[in-house]
Amino acid sequence: ALALNYKLHIEETGLTTSPDYPQIFHRMPICQVGHEQELWAPSLKLAEAYDYEGELAVIIGTGGRAIPAASALDHVCGYSCYFDGSIRDWQRHTRQITAGKNFDSTGGFGPWMVTADEIPDPQTLELMTRLNGKVEQHCSTGQMVFSVAQLIEYCSTWTTLVPGDVIVTGTPGGVGFKRTPPMFMKVGDAVEVEIERVGTLQHEVRSGS
């Protein structure tokens, strides 16, 4: 998954320049749930800052190593919506943000995969994240710093991509931890990630461990 891949999100974090290279982190299978399954808000004894991030997910269909950007989209099987739920308290423990991205059942994936032939250009899609029915993030995937093709090229340079791998492409501006005051999710909230020509991923937030 990608951090800092939209200019407005980079700016709202206080950075003045875009990164020179994609900022990569991993999400484990246990931290993700499917469409309409419950997201788990960590106990307030553990964390208080459960944030929302709507993103485009890219599913690899044909694997490879050192894939050039010019042919990278030929390796895509399809696209889906992704909810990159972030536990901001734990992200800040160190410079490595993995812990804050991998609490059980804090991320969402779905509602289905739209095949690549239906979306010839993934940089032309409208993306919205709604919290309790209100739009909190709204942008075009054309605003990515690193395009889908560039991300496939970069990732396949340091690891061999295989069918079924998923690249989650980063979130736009409007996240909760940069609001004044900060706005975090709580038990009972409903969140939706809608991407043009892909669909709408929906979840409710319930109490986790």
Side-chain angles (χ1 to χ4, degrees), residues 23 26 37 52 60 64 78 100 110 115 139-140 144 147 149 177 197 203:
Q23 307 294 291
H26 285 85
Q37 291 183 300
Y52 55 86
I60 298 298
T115 54
C139 76
S140 165
M144 290 181 189
S147 69
F177 88 105
R197 289 185 280 164
H203 297 288

Side-chain angles (χ1 to χ4, degrees), residues 174-191:
V175 296
F177 88 105
K178 284 300 177 181
R179 302 298 180 96
T180 305
M183 180 175 64
F184 297 119
M185 297 194 304
K186 59 187 183 300
V187 173
D189 282 349
V191 64

